[in-house]
Amino acid sequence: MEIFQYIDAHQSDFIKDLKEWVAVESDSVQPHLRKEVMRMMALAADRLAALGATVNLVSLGSHQLPDGQVLPLPSVILGELGKDPQNPTVCFYGHVDVQPAKKEDGWNTDPYTLTEIDGNLYGRGATDNKGPVLAWINAVETFRALKLAMPVNFKFVIEGMEEAGSLGLEKLLEEENQSFFSDVDYIVISDNLWLSNKKPALTYGSRGNACFFVEVECGSKDLHSGTFGGIVHEPLLDLIALLDSLVDSTGHIQIPGIYDSVAALTEEERKLYELIEFDLEEHRNNCGVKKFLYDTKEEILLHLWRYPSLSIHGIEGAFHEPGIKTVIPAKVIGKFSIRQVPHMDLSVVKKQVVEHLEGVFSKRNSPNKLKVSMPLGAKPWLADVNDVLYKAARRAIKTVFGEDPDFIRDGSTIPVARMFQTVTQKSVMMLPIGAADAGEHSQNEKISRHNYIEGTKLFAAFFLEISKLHRNLHETSHTETIN
Amino acid sequence: MEIFQYIDAHQSDFIKDLKEWVAVESDSVQPHLRKEVMRMMALAADRLAALGATVNLVSLGSHQLPDGQVLPLPSVILGELGKDPQNPTVCFYGHVDVQPAKKEDGWNTDPYTLTEIDGNLYGRGATDNKGPVLAWINAVETFRALKLAMPVNFKFVIEGMEEAGSLGLEKLLEEENQSFFSDVDYIVISDNLWLSNKKPALTYGSRGNACFFVEVECGSKDLHSGTFGGIVHEPLLDLIALLDSLVDSTGHIQIPGIYDSVAALTEEERKLYELIEFDLEEHRNNCGVKKFLYDTKEEILLHLWRYPSLSIHGIEGAFHEPGIKTVIPAKVIGKFSIRQVPHMDLSVVKKQVVEHLEGVFSKRNSPNKLKVSMPLGAKPWLADVNDVLYKAARRAIKTVFGEDPDFIRDGSTIPVARMFQTVTQKSVMMLPIGAADAGEHSQNEKISRHNYIEGTKLFAAFFLEISKLHRNLHETSHTETIN
C-alpha cells in the first residue's frame, strides 16, 4: 500500500521532526520555562500551517501562581483542514507541553535530546504527547505528499498546559461548542498507553472520582493527652471509627446501596476481558505488593475498571511528622475517594455516603461536630465500543498490527476525555500508540521507533476506515429515511 | 510570727528581685538566646552565693542542633547551705530558663518587664519557674536576715534547659547520686500549678506514658488510587482498622488485660477526690469541648489521674495536607500512647498491645507487613501522701492559707519528678505556689503578688514543719531501736 510505503520511506524525517520538538523544554509546570512552552506552541502552529490548515491561536489570558506571580497562559491552537461535506470531521486533541525532566533525575540520556537506543527513542515528551501528535500530523502529511484526496476533514485542538491541569481548556470548549465543534463528528485523543508492551489497545472508559472530606471537631484548640486524655471524646477516635466503617478487609465498600446502580456485567463485556493481554504477575511486581485482593486477570481488571473502589488517602489536622507528639487534635479531616462507575449518580453517591457516616457517628453519642462534604466529583467516562469510531479504529489496528486490540478502560479519571464528552456530547475515543513501558511522567520516557512509525500508519489507516464507515452510515441513514 | 512579718515587710524587695530575673530573656528554646540563659545561670549562682551557699557549676558539655550547629549547654547549679547533722537535708529543684515569648504573640505587657496589674505580676517566667525559685531563696534569706537557726540543711539543683528537655540532667543526677544526693532526705519541686485559682494544692503523682508506633506497609512506593484502587489491600485501611480496635466510644480501652494491674481505688483515696475543689464547667470551657465522657468531678479526676487512657495522635506517611491527593500510601505509621498508672508494668502493657494488634491484623488476612513498637515508655510517679514530706507541707499550707490543700495528681507525665524519684529513690514532692490561671507557657504568664508572697511564707513554714517532723521521726526511730 502506497501510504504505508511512504511512511516507511520517511521514517528518518518523522524522527527528525520529533527530535526537533523534544529539543524544546516545553515544561508547563515550572514557571521559568513558560517561554519555552510558548515557543513550542508556535512550532506546532507552523507545522499545522505547513499542512495547509488554517490555524487560530486562541488566547486564554493569564493565571496567578500561589506566590502571586502572574503568568500568561499559552494560547490553544484550533486548526482546520478540509471542508468536504461528504467527509466526516474528525477532531484530534493533543498537547505539546511536557512534565519536568532533568538528567540528574536518573535519565540515561539527556531528556531533551531524542536518542535512539535499541529501537527506542528516548526523550521527554516522546510518548506524552509530542510523538502521538506528530504521528497524527505526519499521517495527514502523507495524504498531502502523495496528492491523495483527504478522506476526512480535520480539526485540531493542541494545548500547552495539559501537564499543569489544562487551565482554561474547559471554558474554551464551552465557548467553541456552538462554533468550532458544531460540525465535528468524532473526537480522537491519543494521550494514553496500551495495557501491554506488544498488543495495541483501544480505551473506551474511565472511572470517575468522588472525593470526600469528613471533618470531626471538638473545639478550637488542640488538647494535651496528659491533661485531657481519658475524659474527652477525641475527634480522631470518632474519625477513625467513621473511616473504618467504609470498606471491609476484602475491599468491599460497606456504604448501603452503593453498588445498586452499578451497570450489570454483560456476557459480551465479559468476553472482552477474557481476550485482554495482561500479565498479572508483572503488574504485581511493578507496584510492589505481595498479593492482590483477587486472583484472576478478569477479576483484577473488572475491579480496576468497571466496579467502584474506595481508597482512604489520609488525615489532615492530626500529628503526621516523625517522632511523637502527645496531642489530642481538636479538628481532623479524613480524606477518601470513591472511583465510581456507570451508572452511579454522583448526587446519590454523596447522599449515601453522608447518610452512612451520620448513622455511624450518631451511634457513638459523640458531642463533637461532624461535617461531610464532597469537594470534587468527576464523572466516569464510557464510550460505546460498537460505535463506528471504535469499529474504524479496530479495523485500522487489524490492518497495521495484524491483530485485534485489547479493549481497555482506565481505573483513573481521564479528565480530558470526560471534558470533551461532557461539553461536546460527541463520540470520543482514546486511541493510544505508546506501549505500556513507555514511561510517561518517568525518567527515560520513550516511544519505540516501531510504535511511532506503525502508529503513524495506524492513524492513516484509521482516516480511511472512519471515512468509509461514516459514509456507509450516512448512506444507510439516508436510505432508511427514504424507505 | 516574726518570719511572716519580715516577708510581708520585704515584699517590694522580693518583687524587685523577680523583676530583675524576668528581665533576662533566658529562653532555652531559641539558640540565639543561649547566652542570656548563661547570664541567668550566673545571676542565680550569685544569688545563692549571697545566701552563704557553696555553689558548684557543673558543666554538661554541648549539644548539637538539628541544623548541625553545636551549642554549649548551660551548667547546672548544685548548691549547698548548712550541714547540721540534726537537720533534715531538703533538696530543691528549679529552673531559671523560660519558654519563648514576644509581645506580638498577644501579650498585654512586655513579657520581659515584670508588670503589676490588679495584684498580678505579669512576665515570662513569673510562675514558670523564676517566681517559685526566688520564693524558696527568699524564704531561706528570711531565716538568715533574722539571724534564726536554719531549720534544715539546703541543697539546690537549678538548671537552665528545662524548657528544652532538661538535656543532660538525668545523667548528672546519676553521676551525683552517690555524692551530692547521698545525704539528701527530701526533694521538693515547685514547678507546677494548683488545680484551682484559690485553693492550694499538693501534687503526689503523675501518669506515665507508653508511646506506640503501628506501622503497616505494602511495598516501597505509594500507589495511585485510580490504577490500584480496588485491587490492593491498602495499608491505611489495615491501620485504621487496627487503630479503631483500641478504644470504644465511651473511652474504655479495648486491649484485653490492660486494666488488670490498675491499683484498686481505696476508700481513703476516694475521699481525697471528694474534697478537691474543681470547677468542671470552667475546665470544660477552657478546653472548648461540649461535653466530657463523665459527668461528675470525681469521675473526671479519677479518669484523668489514676486510670489509664489511650489517645491516638496521628498517622505518619499518609496524605496530611489541605486539598486532595488520590494516593494509596505504601507505608503508614499510626501513633498512639497509653497514659499508664500504678501498678501497670510497661513490659506487660507492651506485650498486651502487640498481641492485641497482631490478633486484629491476622483476622484481616492482609498480605501487608505489620510492625508494632514502643519507642518511648515513661513510668508513672506516685508519692505516699502519708509521708512526712506531705504532712509537713500540709501543715504549712494550713498555717499560711488557713485551709487544707487539694491532694492532686497530674494526668501528664512530670519527667523531672519521675527522674528524681527513679534515680535517687528519695521522697519527692511537688509543692506548687502558682494558681491554676497563671498561664505557664502562654501569653500573659503571671504570678499574683498574693501567691508569690504567701508562697514564700509557705516555704518558710514548711522548713520549720519538716524539721520538726523529721526530728520526731528520727527520735522515734531512735527510741524504737533502743526498745
Side-chain angles (χ1 to χ4, degrees):
Chain A
M1 185 175 164
E2 189 186 10
I3 291 171
F4 291 178
Q5 281 165 358
Y6 179 91
I7 292 171
D8 278 331
H10 289 79
Q11 289 193 27
S12 307
D13 295 337
F14 297 156
I15 291 171
K16 214 179 108 231
D17 288 349
L18 183 55
K19 193 178 179 91
E20 190 192 343
W21 279 27
V22 164
V24 184
E25 196 171 349
S26 54
D27 168 348
S28 58
V29 178
Q30 300 184 79
H32 73 281
L33 290 167
R34 185 62 51 88
K35 60 183 188 308
E36 292 301 288
V37 179
M38 302 301 195
R39 192 156 73 86
M40 186 63 230
M41 294 307 295
L43 268 184
D46 289 350
R47 188 74 189 78
L48 288 179
L51 275 186
T54 55
V55 175
N56 185 11
L57 282 156
V58 185
S59 167
L60 298 180
S62 59
H63 68 127
Q64 192 169 26
L65 301 180
D67 67 0
Q69 199 187 346
V70 173
L71 275 185
L73 286 166
S75 298
V76 169
I77 296 173
L78 297 183
E80 298 187 45
L81 177 65
K83 276 209 172 284
D84 185 340
Q86 301 297 311
N87 282 349
T89 300
V90 178
C91 175
F92 177 81
Y93 161 87
H95 65 91
V96 291
D97 60 315
V98 296
Q99 280 278 322
K102 282 198 298 262
K103 180 90 164 65
E104 311 87 87
D105 295 341
W107 284 72
N108 298 324
T109 57
D110 173 46
Y112 296 101
T113 305
L114 191 76
T115 308
E116 183 164 5
I117 300 170
D118 294 338
N120 287 314
L121 303 162
Y122 292 92
R124 176 54 92 218
T127 200
D128 182 17
N129 182 223
K130 290 174 176 176
V133 171
L134 271 175
W136 187 276
I137 290 172
N138 289 332
V140 180
E141 169 65 24
T142 300
F143 282 85
R144 216 179 69 99
L146 294 172
K147 300 197 167 36
L148 298 171
M150 289 291 177
V152 301
N153 302 319
F154 294 100
K155 293 214 169 185
F156 297 87
V157 177
I158 311 286
E159 69 156 324
M161 284 297 282
E162 199 272 347
E163 302 296 358
S166 294
L167 297 175
L169 184 64
E170 187 155 16
K171 190 159 160 281
L172 175 72
L173 299 192
E174 282 161 2
E175 284 164 6
E176 294 289 339
N177 195 27
Q178 299 306 318
S179 43
F180 182 82
F181 291 104
S182 62
D183 57 356
V184 167
D185 296 296
Y186 308 106
I187 294 167
V188 176
I189 301 167
S190 182
D191 191 21
N192 64 327
L193 301 175
W194 298 347
L195 189 64
S196 85
N197 292 344
K198 297 285 177 201
K199 193 173 167 201
L202 276 173
T203 306
Y204 66 100
S206 70
R207 293 193 291 189
N209 200 12
C211 293
F212 288 90
F213 286 0
V214 193
E215 183 183 306
V216 185
E217 185 181 1
C218 72
S220 59
K221 43 185 177 183
D222 286 353
L223 303 173
H224 187 272
S225 71
T227 322
F228 291 97
I231 64 167
V232 297
H233 298 260
E234 302 188 8
L236 189 48
L237 289 178
D238 284 339
L239 178 60
I240 282 168
L242 291 170
L243 296 178
D244 192 29
S245 75
L246 295 170
V247 190
D248 71 13
S249 62
T250 70
H252 200 260
I253 306 174
Q254 301 293 294
I255 299 161
I258 200 85
Y259 292 100
D260 289 356
S261 313
V262 175
L265 183 69
T266 64
E267 201 40 49
E268 183 195 0
E269 206 185 342
R270 183 182 288 283
K271 275 189 196 132
L272 287 180
Y273 282 85
E274 284 168 12
L275 298 170
I276 289 171
E277 199 160 281
F278 181 66
D279 188 334
L280 207 57
E281 209 44 31
E282 190 189 311
H283 195 59
R284 204 186 50 69
N285 285 333
N286 282 346
C287 77
V289 308
K290 266 202 235 157
K291 202 172 166 303
F292 283 135
L293 283 162
Y294 307 94
D295 295 325
T296 66
K297 174 188 79 178
E298 288 80 3
E299 280 204 295
I300 290 290
L301 294 178
L302 285 165
H303 282 92
L304 216 42
W305 295 345
R306 62 106 59 226
Y307 290 126
S309 67
L310 189 154
S311 296
I312 300 177
H313 311 301
I315 294 171
E316 180 185 342
F319 178 62
H320 62 266
E321 289 168 46
I324 292 162
K325 187 179 177 186
T326 52
V327 66
I328 298 175
K331 178 171 151 182
V332 286
I333 308 173
K335 317 265 176 102
F336 69 90
S337 64
I338 298 175
R339 295 279 171 183
Q340 88 281 9
V341 297
H343 308 291
M344 293 166 76
D345 182 282
L346 269 177
S347 64
V348 173
V349 167
K350 185 179 172 186
K351 191 162 169 282
Q352 289 166 335
V353 168
V354 171
E355 278 177 8
H356 169 69
L357 290 175
E358 285 178 348
V360 172
F361 189 67
S362 76
K363 290 205 191 79
R364 292 181 62 82
N365 288 316
S366 168
N368 297 327
K369 261 190 296 185
L370 169 69
K371 206 164 86 188
V372 183
S373 62
M374 188 177 81
L376 187 84
K379 290 178 187 163
W381 163 64
L382 186 64
D384 178 0
V385 294
N386 294 314
D387 190 285
V388 285
L389 190 57
Y390 281 86
K391 276 195 183 141
R394 186 177 183 167
R395 286 187 188 179
I397 287 169
K398 184 92 183 186
T399 303
V400 174
F401 293 95
E403 62 180 330
D404 271 326
D406 284 335
F407 279 86
I408 66 176
R409 297 204 202 182
D410 196 316
S412 315
T413 312
I414 303 175
V416 78
R418 188 186 53 80
M419 191 191 299
F420 274 98
Q421 172 84 73
T422 309
V423 176
T424 70
Q425 300 285 315
K426 312 281 179 181
S427 296
V428 176
M429 175 173 68
M430 303 275 299
L431 175 54
I433 64 169
D437 62 358
E440 49 172 5
H441 292 209
S442 246
Q443 296 88 339
N444 303 311
E445 176 182 345
K446 60 151 183 166
I447 191 164
S448 71
R449 174 187 279 259
H450 176 78
N451 280 51
Y452 182 48
I453 300 303
E454 300 307 299
T456 304
K457 291 180 192 169
L458 168 58
F459 289 151
F462 167 73
F463 302 159
L464 296 169
E465 296 290 354
I466 189 68
S467 181
K468 207 160 49 187
L469 285 174
H470 181 83
R471 280 162 190 253
N472 285 350
L473 190 72
H474 188 74
E475 278 157 22
T476 314
S477 312
H478 189 64
T479 314
E480 277 167 359
T481 312
I482 289 170
N483 287 350
Chain B
M1 187 175 161
E2 188 185 12
I3 292 171
F4 291 177
Q5 282 165 356
Y6 179 91
I7 293 171
D8 277 331
H10 289 80
Q11 288 194 25
S12 307
D13 294 337
F14 296 156
I15 292 171
K16 216 179 106 231
D17 287 350
L18 184 55
K19 193 178 179 91
E20 189 191 346
W21 279 27
V22 164
V24 184
E25 196 172 348
S26 54
D27 167 348
S28 59
V29 177
Q30 299 184 81
H32 73 280
L33 291 167
R34 186 60 51 87
K35 58 182 190 308
E36 291 302 288
V37 179
M38 303 301 196
R39 193 157 73 84
M40 186 64 230
M41 295 307 296
L43 269 183
D46 289 349
R47 189 72 189 78
L48 288 179
L51 274 186
T54 57
V55 175
N56 186 11
L57 283 157
V58 185
S59 167
L60 298 180
S62 58
H63 68 130
Q64 192 169 24
L65 302 180
D67 68 0
Q69 196 187 348
V70 172
L71 273 185
L73 285 166
S75 298
V76 169
I77 296 173
L78 297 183
E80 300 187 44
L81 177 65
K83 274 207 174 284
D84 184 340
Q86 301 298 311
N87 281 349
T89 300
V90 178
C91 175
F92 177 82
Y93 161 86
H95 67 91
V96 290
D97 60 315
V98 295
Q99 282 278 321
K102 282 199 299 263
K103 179 88 163 66
E104 311 87 86
D105 295 342
W107 284 73
N108 297 325
T109 57
D110 173 46
Y112 296 102
T113 305
L114 190 76
T115 309
E116 183 165 5
I117 301 171
D118 294 337
N120 288 313
L121 303 162
Y122 292 93
R124 177 54 93 218
T127 200
D128 182 17
N129 185 220
K130 290 174 177 176
V133 172
L134 270 176
W136 186 276
I137 291 173
N138 290 332
V140 181
E141 169 65 26
T142 300
F143 282 85
R144 216 179 68 100
L146 293 173
K147 300 196 164 44
L148 299 170
M150 288 291 177
V152 301
N153 302 320
F154 294 99
K155 292 213 170 187
F156 297 87
V157 178
I158 310 287
E159 70 156 324
M161 283 298 281
E162 199 271 347
E163 301 295 358
S166 294
L167 295 174
L169 183 64
E170 186 155 14
K171 191 160 160 278
L172 175 73
L173 298 192
E174 281 160 3
E175 284 165 6
E176 294 290 340
N177 196 28
Q178 299 305 319
S179 43
F180 182 82
F181 291 104
S182 62
D183 57 357
V184 167
D185 296 297
Y186 308 105
I187 294 167
V188 176
I189 302 167
S190 182
D191 192 20
N192 63 328
L193 300 176
W194 298 347
L195 191 62
S196 84
N197 293 345
K198 297 283 177 200
K199 194 174 166 198
L202 277 173
T203 306
Y204 65 100
S206 70
R207 293 193 292 188
N209 200 13
C211 293
F212 288 91
F213 286 0
V214 193
E215 183 183 305
V216 185
E217 185 181 2
C218 73
S220 59
K221 42 184 176 182
D222 286 352
L223 303 173
H224 187 273
S225 71
T227 322
F228 291 97
I231 65 167
V232 298
H233 298 260
E234 301 189 8
L236 188 48
L237 288 178
D238 284 339
L239 178 60
I240 281 169
L242 292 169
L243 296 178
D244 193 28
S245 74
L246 295 170
V247 190
D248 70 13
S249 61
T250 70
H252 201 259
I253 305 174
Q254 301 292 294
I255 300 161
I258 201 84
Y259 291 100
D260 289 356
S261 312
V262 175
L265 182 69
T266 63
E267 202 39 50
E268 183 193 0
E269 207 184 342
R270 183 181 288 282
K271 274 189 197 131
L272 286 180
Y273 283 84
E274 284 167 13
L275 298 171
I276 290 170
E277 198 159 286
F278 181 65
D279 187 334
L280 208 57
E281 208 45 28
E282 190 188 312
H283 195 59
R284 204 185 53 67
N285 286 333
N286 282 345
C287 76
V289 307
K290 267 202 238 160
K291 201 170 167 305
F292 283 134
L293 284 162
Y294 307 95
D295 295 325
T296 66
K297 173 187 80 178
E298 288 80 0
E299 280 205 295
I300 290 289
L301 294 178
L302 285 165
H303 282 90
L304 214 43
W305 295 344
R306 64 105 58 226
Y307 289 126
S309 66
L310 190 155
S311 296
I312 300 177
H313 311 302
I315 295 171
E316 181 185 341
F319 177 63
H320 62 267
E321 289 167 46
I324 292 162
K325 186 179 177 187
T326 53
V327 65
I328 298 174
K331 179 170 149 183
V332 285
I333 308 172
K335 318 265 176 102
F336 69 91
S337 64
I338 298 175
R339 296 279 170 182
Q340 87 282 9
V341 297
H343 307 290
M344 293 166 78
D345 181 282
L346 269 179
S347 64
V348 174
V349 168
K350 184 180 174 186
K351 192 163 169 283
Q352 289 167 335
V353 168
V354 171
E355 278 176 8
H356 169 71
L357 290 176
E358 286 179 348
V360 173
F361 189 68
S362 77
K363 289 203 191 82
R364 293 181 61 82
N365 288 316
S366 169
N368 297 327
K369 262 190 296 187
L370 170 69
K371 207 165 84 188
V372 183
S373 61
M374 187 177 82
L376 186 85
K379 290 179 188 163
W381 163 65
L382 186 64
D384 179 0
V385 294
N386 294 315
D387 191 286
V388 284
L389 190 55
Y390 281 86
K391 275 196 185 140
R394 186 176 182 167
R395 286 187 188 179
I397 286 170
K398 184 93 182 188
T399 303
V400 175
F401 292 94
E403 62 181 329
D404 270 325
D406 283 335
F407 278 85
I408 66 175
R409 297 204 202 183
D410 196 316
S412 315
T413 312
I414 303 176
V416 78
R418 187 187 53 81
M419 191 190 298
F420 274 98
Q421 171 84 73
T422 310
V423 175
T424 70
Q425 301 285 317
K426 311 282 179 181
S427 295
V428 176
M429 176 173 68
M430 302 276 298
L431 175 53
I433 63 168
D437 63 356
E440 50 172 4
H441 293 208
S442 248
Q443 297 88 338
N444 303 312
E445 177 181 345
K446 60 150 184 170
I447 191 164
S448 71
R449 174 188 279 259
H450 177 78
N451 280 49
Y452 182 46
I453 299 304
E454 299 307 301
T456 305
K457 290 181 192 168
L458 168 58
F459 289 151
F462 167 73
F463 301 159
L464 294 170
E465 295 291 352
I466 189 68
S467 180
K468 205 160 50 187
L469 284 174
H470 182 81
R471 281 163 189 252
N472 285 351
L473 192 72
H474 188 73
E475 278 157 23
T476 315
S477 312
H478 189 65
T479 315
E480 275 166 1
T481 311
I482 290 169
N483 285 351

Short mmCIF file of all heavy atoms in Angstrom, two decimals, chain B residues 250-275:
data_model
loop_
_atom_site.label_atom_id
_atom_site.label_comp_id
_atom_site.label_asym_id
_atom_site.label_seq_id
_atom_site.Cartn_x
_atom_site.Cartn_y
_atom_site.Cartn_z
N THR B 250 -16.93 5.02 74.51
CA THR B 250 -17.06 5.54 75.88
C THR B 250 -15.69 5.83 76.49
O THR B 250 -15.59 6.17 77.66
CB THR B 250 -17.80 4.54 76.80
OG1 THR B 250 -16.92 3.41 77.02
CG2 THR B 250 -19.08 4.03 76.18
N GLY B 251 -14.63 5.64 75.72
CA GLY B 251 -13.28 5.92 76.23
C GLY B 251 -12.64 4.70 76.87
O GLY B 251 -11.50 4.78 77.35
N HIS B 252 -13.34 3.57 76.87
CA HIS B 252 -12.81 2.35 77.51
C HIS B 252 -11.81 1.68 76.56
O HIS B 252 -12.11 1.43 75.41
CB HIS B 252 -13.97 1.40 77.81
CG HIS B 252 -13.64 0.39 78.86
ND1 HIS B 252 -13.31 -0.90 78.55
CD2 HIS B 252 -13.59 0.49 80.20
CE1 HIS B 252 -13.07 -1.56 79.68
NE2 HIS B 252 -13.23 -0.74 80.70
N ILE B 253 -10.62 1.38 77.10
CA ILE B 253 -9.59 0.73 76.28
C ILE B 253 -9.98 -0.72 76.04
O ILE B 253 -10.37 -1.43 76.97
CB ILE B 253 -8.21 0.84 76.96
CG1 ILE B 253 -7.88 2.30 77.26
CG2 ILE B 253 -7.12 0.22 76.08
CD1 ILE B 253 -6.60 2.50 78.07
N GLN B 254 -9.86 -1.17 74.78
CA GLN B 254 -10.33 -2.49 74.38
C GLN B 254 -9.23 -3.56 74.35
O GLN B 254 -9.45 -4.67 73.90
CB GLN B 254 -10.96 -2.41 72.99
CG GLN B 254 -12.14 -1.44 72.90
CD GLN B 254 -13.32 -1.94 73.69
OE1 GLN B 254 -13.92 -2.96 73.36
NE2 GLN B 254 -13.64 -1.26 74.78
N ILE B 255 -8.04 -3.21 74.82
CA ILE B 255 -6.93 -4.16 74.80
C ILE B 255 -7.10 -5.14 75.97
O ILE B 255 -7.10 -4.70 77.13
CB ILE B 255 -5.58 -3.42 74.88
CG1 ILE B 255 -5.44 -2.47 73.69
CG2 ILE B 255 -4.42 -4.39 74.97
CD1 ILE B 255 -4.41 -1.38 73.89
N PRO B 256 -7.23 -6.44 75.68
CA PRO B 256 -7.50 -7.40 76.76
C PRO B 256 -6.43 -7.34 77.86
O PRO B 256 -5.23 -7.30 77.55
CB PRO B 256 -7.50 -8.75 76.04
CG PRO B 256 -7.88 -8.43 74.63
CD PRO B 256 -7.26 -7.09 74.35
N GLY B 257 -6.87 -7.29 79.09
CA GLY B 257 -5.96 -7.35 80.23
C GLY B 257 -5.37 -6.02 80.67
O GLY B 257 -4.70 -5.94 81.70
N ILE B 258 -5.64 -4.97 79.88
CA ILE B 258 -4.95 -3.70 80.13
C ILE B 258 -5.29 -3.10 81.50
O ILE B 258 -4.46 -2.42 82.11
CB ILE B 258 -5.24 -2.69 78.99
CG1 ILE B 258 -4.17 -1.59 78.94
CG2 ILE B 258 -6.62 -2.06 79.11
CD1 ILE B 258 -2.95 -1.96 78.19
N TYR B 259 -6.50 -3.40 82.01
CA TYR B 259 -6.88 -2.82 83.31
C TYR B 259 -6.52 -3.72 84.49
O TYR B 259 -6.74 -3.36 85.64
CB TYR B 259 -8.40 -2.54 83.35
CG TYR B 259 -8.83 -1.42 82.43
CD1 TYR B 259 -9.40 -1.69 81.19
CD2 TYR B 259 -8.68 -0.08 82.81
CE1 TYR B 259 -9.82 -0.65 80.35
CE2 TYR B 259 -9.09 0.95 81.98
CZ TYR B 259 -9.66 0.66 80.74
OH TYR B 259 -10.06 1.68 79.93
N ASP B 260 -5.99 -4.94 84.19
CA ASP B 260 -5.79 -5.93 85.25
C ASP B 260 -4.93 -5.44 86.42
O ASP B 260 -5.20 -5.77 87.57
CB ASP B 260 -5.15 -7.21 84.67
CG ASP B 260 -6.14 -7.99 83.80
OD1 ASP B 260 -7.32 -7.55 83.73
OD2 ASP B 260 -5.75 -8.99 83.19
N SER B 261 -3.88 -4.67 86.12
CA SER B 261 -2.94 -4.28 87.19
C SER B 261 -3.21 -2.91 87.78
O SER B 261 -2.45 -2.43 88.62
CB SER B 261 -1.51 -4.29 86.65
OG SER B 261 -1.24 -5.48 85.97
N VAL B 262 -4.27 -2.25 87.28
CA VAL B 262 -4.54 -0.91 87.81
C VAL B 262 -4.90 -1.02 89.30
O VAL B 262 -5.76 -1.81 89.68
CB VAL B 262 -5.71 -0.25 87.03
CG1 VAL B 262 -6.09 1.09 87.65
CG2 VAL B 262 -5.33 -0.09 85.57
N ALA B 263 -4.20 -0.22 90.13
CA ALA B 263 -4.42 -0.26 91.58
C ALA B 263 -5.89 -0.01 91.89
O ALA B 263 -6.52 0.86 91.28
CB ALA B 263 -3.55 0.79 92.25
N ALA B 264 -6.43 -0.78 92.83
CA ALA B 264 -7.82 -0.60 93.23
C ALA B 264 -7.96 0.73 93.96
O ALA B 264 -7.04 1.17 94.65
CB ALA B 264 -8.27 -1.76 94.11
N LEU B 265 -9.09 1.34 93.80
CA LEU B 265 -9.35 2.63 94.46
C LEU B 265 -9.72 2.37 95.92
O LEU B 265 -10.68 1.66 96.21
CB LEU B 265 -10.51 3.32 93.74
CG LEU B 265 -10.92 4.71 94.23
CD1 LEU B 265 -9.84 5.73 93.89
CD2 LEU B 265 -12.24 5.14 93.59
N THR B 266 -8.95 2.97 96.82
CA THR B 266 -9.26 2.78 98.25
C THR B 266 -10.28 3.83 98.71
O THR B 266 -10.45 4.87 98.07
CB THR B 266 -7.99 2.92 99.11
OG1 THR B 266 -7.51 4.27 98.97
CG2 THR B 266 -6.91 1.95 98.68
N GLU B 267 -10.89 3.54 99.85
CA GLU B 267 -11.89 4.46 100.40
C GLU B 267 -11.21 5.79 100.76
O GLU B 267 -11.75 6.87 100.49
CB GLU B 267 -12.55 3.83 101.64
CG GLU B 267 -13.90 4.39 101.98
CD GLU B 267 -14.77 4.69 100.77
OE1 GLU B 267 -14.93 3.81 99.87
OE2 GLU B 267 -15.28 5.82 100.69
N GLU B 268 -10.02 5.69 101.33
CA GLU B 268 -9.26 6.88 101.72
C GLU B 268 -8.96 7.76 100.50
O GLU B 268 -9.05 8.99 100.56
CB GLU B 268 -7.93 6.39 102.35
CG GLU B 268 -7.05 7.48 102.89
CD GLU B 268 -5.64 6.96 103.19
OE1 GLU B 268 -5.39 5.75 102.96
OE2 GLU B 268 -4.81 7.74 103.63
N GLU B 269 -8.64 7.09 99.40
CA GLU B 269 -8.31 7.79 98.18
C GLU B 269 -9.55 8.48 97.60
O GLU B 269 -9.51 9.64 97.19
CB GLU B 269 -7.78 6.75 97.18
CG GLU B 269 -6.83 7.30 96.15
CD GLU B 269 -6.44 6.21 95.15
OE1 GLU B 269 -6.62 5.01 95.46
OE2 GLU B 269 -5.99 6.57 94.05
N ARG B 270 -10.65 7.74 97.63
CA ARG B 270 -11.89 8.31 97.11
C ARG B 270 -12.23 9.61 97.85
O ARG B 270 -12.69 10.58 97.26
CB ARG B 270 -13.04 7.31 97.22
CG ARG B 270 -14.35 7.84 96.63
CD ARG B 270 -15.50 6.87 96.77
NE ARG B 270 -15.39 5.71 95.90
CZ ARG B 270 -15.67 5.71 94.58
NH1 ARG B 270 -16.06 6.82 94.00
NH2 ARG B 270 -15.55 4.62 93.88
N LYS B 271 -11.98 9.60 99.17
CA LYS B 271 -12.28 10.80 99.98
C LYS B 271 -11.45 12.00 99.53
O LYS B 271 -11.93 13.12 99.52
CB LYS B 271 -12.05 10.50 101.46
CG LYS B 271 -13.27 9.87 102.11
CD LYS B 271 -13.13 9.77 103.61
CE LYS B 271 -14.14 8.77 104.16
NZ LYS B 271 -13.52 7.79 105.06
N LEU B 272 -10.19 11.73 99.16
CA LEU B 272 -9.34 12.82 98.69
C LEU B 272 -9.99 13.52 97.49
O LEU B 272 -9.95 14.74 97.36
CB LEU B 272 -7.96 12.29 98.26
CG LEU B 272 -6.97 11.87 99.34
CD1 LEU B 272 -5.68 11.37 98.70
CD2 LEU B 272 -6.67 13.03 100.29
N TYR B 273 -10.59 12.70 96.63
CA TYR B 273 -11.20 13.26 95.42
C TYR B 273 -12.42 14.11 95.74
O TYR B 273 -12.67 15.12 95.12
CB TYR B 273 -11.56 12.13 94.43
CG TYR B 273 -10.35 11.61 93.70
CD1 TYR B 273 -9.54 10.64 94.26
CD2 TYR B 273 -10.00 12.13 92.46
CE1 TYR B 273 -8.41 10.18 93.60
CE2 TYR B 273 -8.87 11.67 91.79
CZ TYR B 273 -8.08 10.70 92.36
OH TYR B 273 -6.97 10.25 91.72
N GLU B 274 -13.18 13.65 96.74
CA GLU B 274 -14.39 14.40 97.09
C GLU B 274 -14.06 15.80 97.59
O GLU B 274 -14.81 16.75 97.37
CB GLU B 274 -15.18 13.65 98.18
CG GLU B 274 -15.94 12.45 97.63
CD GLU B 274 -16.45 11.54 98.73
OE1 GLU B 274 -16.42 11.95 99.91
OE2 GLU B 274 -16.85 10.40 98.42
N LEU B 275 -12.91 15.93 98.29
CA LEU B 275 -12.54 17.20 98.91
C LEU B 275 -11.96 18.21 97.92
O LEU B 275 -11.86 19.40 98.21
CB LEU B 275 -11.51 16.95 100.02
CG LEU B 275 -11.99 16.06 101.18
CD1 LEU B 275 -10.83 15.69 102.09
CD2 LEU B 275 -13.08 16.80 101.96
#
